Amino acid sequence: MMDRTTFTIIVAAFAVLVLLAMWLGWRRRSRRDADVIGGVAPTGELVAEFPNAAYVSTTPAGAPMDRVAAPGLRYRGPAVVEVRTDGVTITVAGEQPVHLPAARVLGSGASGPRVGKFVERDGITLLRWLSEGRQLESGFRFVEADDHHRFTAAIDRIAAAPKDSPAPADEQTSTTQEDA
């Protein structure tokens, strides 16, 4: 029979192994996603601003439970989102701002549960965008239904705007709500 000290050592060792595995997994994911973000701050006309958005997570399109650990988008939290004619800026509290050029914005959408938040059907508002050939979805939660509609309209407006240069052939897909 095992005594209390042996049992405590086994449980503590197991806990340390689990925490180490989690840390190594997060570190690997952070390295994988380090080059996801790029771009300069948009300076175009302000289309809409959302100072009370709740940032949920960024995931690969179609994989709502696989978090992308990109700089500035790693952690869930309160965020300010600015939509301008030439791009989007996402500033999550405690993180560096993330700037997405309009040429990378694909459109908007809605989703149910995602990594980091369980909500009702279509309770998360999505920003769909491209990064290094990967389609990504950043999820936001708005308290006011009007903010959800304004966000969707603003994102779809800049996604539908003519781009300065055509996207590469593999990036010419559009997922704006008008197309869906």
Side-chain angles (χ1 to χ4, degrees):
M1 188 168 215
M2 199 177 344
D3 67 356
R4 181 177 255 165
T5 305
T6 306
F7 179 74
T8 303
I9 291 171
I10 291 171
V11 169
F14 181 74
V16 167
L17 286 175
V18 168
L19 291 173
L20 179 63
M22 289 170 52
W23 179 76
L24 289 172
W26 187 254
R27 192 170 150 212
R28 180 175 166 256
R29 184 177 298 252
S30 294
R31 279 194 309 257
R32 176 195 72 184
D33 298 330
D35 64 344
V36 166
I37 306 303
V40 297
T43 58
E45 176 188 343
L46 186 65
V47 176
E49 183 176 22
F50 305 91
N52 298 315
Y55 170 71
V56 176
S57 62
T58 296
T59 63
M65 298 299 167
D66 183 17
R67 182 183 300 273
V68 171
L73 298 174
R74 287 185 176 123
Y75 307 108
R76 178 179 156 193
V80 175
V81 181
E82 290 182 352
V83 181
R84 297 184 175 274
T85 53
D86 60 342
V88 178
T89 297
I90 304 166
T91 308
V92 179
E95 297 283 333
Q96 294 295 319
V98 174
H99 308 292
L100 306 173
R104 290 188 176 187
V105 175
L106 298 174
S108 66
S111 174
R114 302 183 71 73
V115 65
K117 187 78 171 172
F118 185 81
V119 297
E120 72 279 3
R121 181 178 174 200
D122 296 340
I124 303 279
T125 305
L126 298 177
L127 165 61
R128 293 186 171 119
W129 53 286
L130 285 173
S131 177
E132 305 302 323
R134 290 171 55 188
Q135 288 190 17
L136 301 174
E137 299 174 335
S138 293
F140 301 91
R141 180 85 166 156
F142 297 104
V143 175
E144 302 294 326
D146 181 53
D147 284 345
H148 165 81
H149 297 296
R150 283 189 325 110
F151 182 85
T152 299
I155 294 300
D156 289 346
R157 175 180 165 193
I158 69 166
K163 310 296 187 216
D164 291 336
S165 61
D170 65 329
E171 295 180 5
Q172 290 184 347
T173 59
S174 174
T175 58
T176 61
Q177 286 193 345
E178 291 119 30
D179 296 338

